Amino acid sequence: MITIAALLGGLGLVCVLYRKTILGLLVGLQLLGLSASLMLVLSGVASHVPNEGHLFGLFITLSQIGQLVVGYALAVRIFYLKKRTSVEDVRSLKN
Amino acid sequence: MIFWACGGIAVLGGVLATFMTDLRRAVLALWVCGLGVGGLYLSLGAELLAVIQWLLSTLIAIAFIFYAVMFGEFSTPEDAALGVSVTPEPEKKKEWFRPVMPLIVGSAFAGMIWLGATHLPSMAQHGILFSDPHEIIETTKTYGPQTQETEKKSEVAMGVQGLGRSLAEDHLLAVEILALLLFLVIVGSGVVARLEKPET
């Protein structure tokens, strides 16, 4: 069971490192979030306090929305400036 | 059985989402992965979380496709200006080795999670690493928690009603912080993504 969460987490990290666009990066972050959430639910079930696991899974899932919205906003900003959404362009927002 | 079927769907969706070259198909794979994880939640007895996961996965997939279509896959700024969407950019040189390092790091990360979980007492005790979760859930329902204190708590905290009560009583501060975080995210994103018009 934990294997599924571990696989999803590994795939998420691979996606974050492999993709070159911001939207691809966000896909990887979503996979990582799914893995973390699933891990918490499984831990809750294994510890015989399932509701605690569900609650923390819920918090992680809702926090992912915030992360996604910020990612979209950054992508829009970079697209205005560079007409593309490459991850490498993020550092151009520094100045 | 359902657990492993949903797990297979989730992992397959994750693999496709990671390695698909076309972003729109990758997003669809992510949606399938989210649905699979929702099924896992359902089989683990987290009905509320499953429904929320399914709804959010669908909304996220729609938003992703919207943005992917809006940005397109432009190779050059000139193409973008013309609105020409260039599907996969022709690779100038073979980059077969590019996914190797991410794969190594990802495998190490997955292995680390798995090995770390084996050292958690509750995980190792119930054989949750390999076994079907239904046995553990049934054990919890039949025999209940081991101490009287947690037993009293578990009588109250069952089902969606218990979740709501727990949210409102035990985790109120966390809910408030999350609400504030989401509010700040909405406002901040609006500020970051605004179109700056050149000063006249």
Side-chain angles (χ1 to χ4, degrees), chain B residues 94-178:
Chain B
K94 287 187 178 178
E95 292 185 337
W96 58 268
F97 54 86
R98 201 168 71 83
V100 172
M101 187 54 81
L103 272 175
I104 292 171
V105 176
S107 306
F109 184 65
M112 219 161 58
I113 293 174
W114 196 83
L115 282 176
T118 55
H119 287 87
L120 290 174
S122 59
M123 299 275 191
Q125 186 186 348
H126 298 104
I128 200 167
L129 294 168
F130 301 105
S131 65
D132 197 304
H134 279 102
E135 295 168 14
I136 299 163
I137 294 170
E138 287 304 316
T139 312
T140 310
K141 281 179 185 169
T142 312
Y143 300 109
Q146 290 160 3
T147 62
Q148 286 185 344
E149 192 182 340
T150 49
E151 193 173 359
K152 278 180 190 170
K153 204 174 177 182
S154 79
E155 282 174 10
V156 178
M158 289 301 284
V160 179
Q161 185 189 2
L163 275 179
R165 189 169 290 175
S166 183
L167 269 177
E169 289 175 359
D170 300 335
H171 302 285
L172 188 61
L173 184 63
V175 173
E176 292 296 332
I177 290 173
L178 185 65

Side-chain angles (χ1 to χ4, degrees), chain A residues 1 18-19 37 39 48 51 77, chain B residues 17 41 128 131 140 157 192:
Chain A
M1 293 171 10
Y18 180 56
R19 297 272 182 190
S37 184
M39 182 71 82
H48 295 290
N51 277 0
R77 185 80 190 141
Chain B
Y41 292 151
I128 200 167
S131 65
T140 310
V192 168

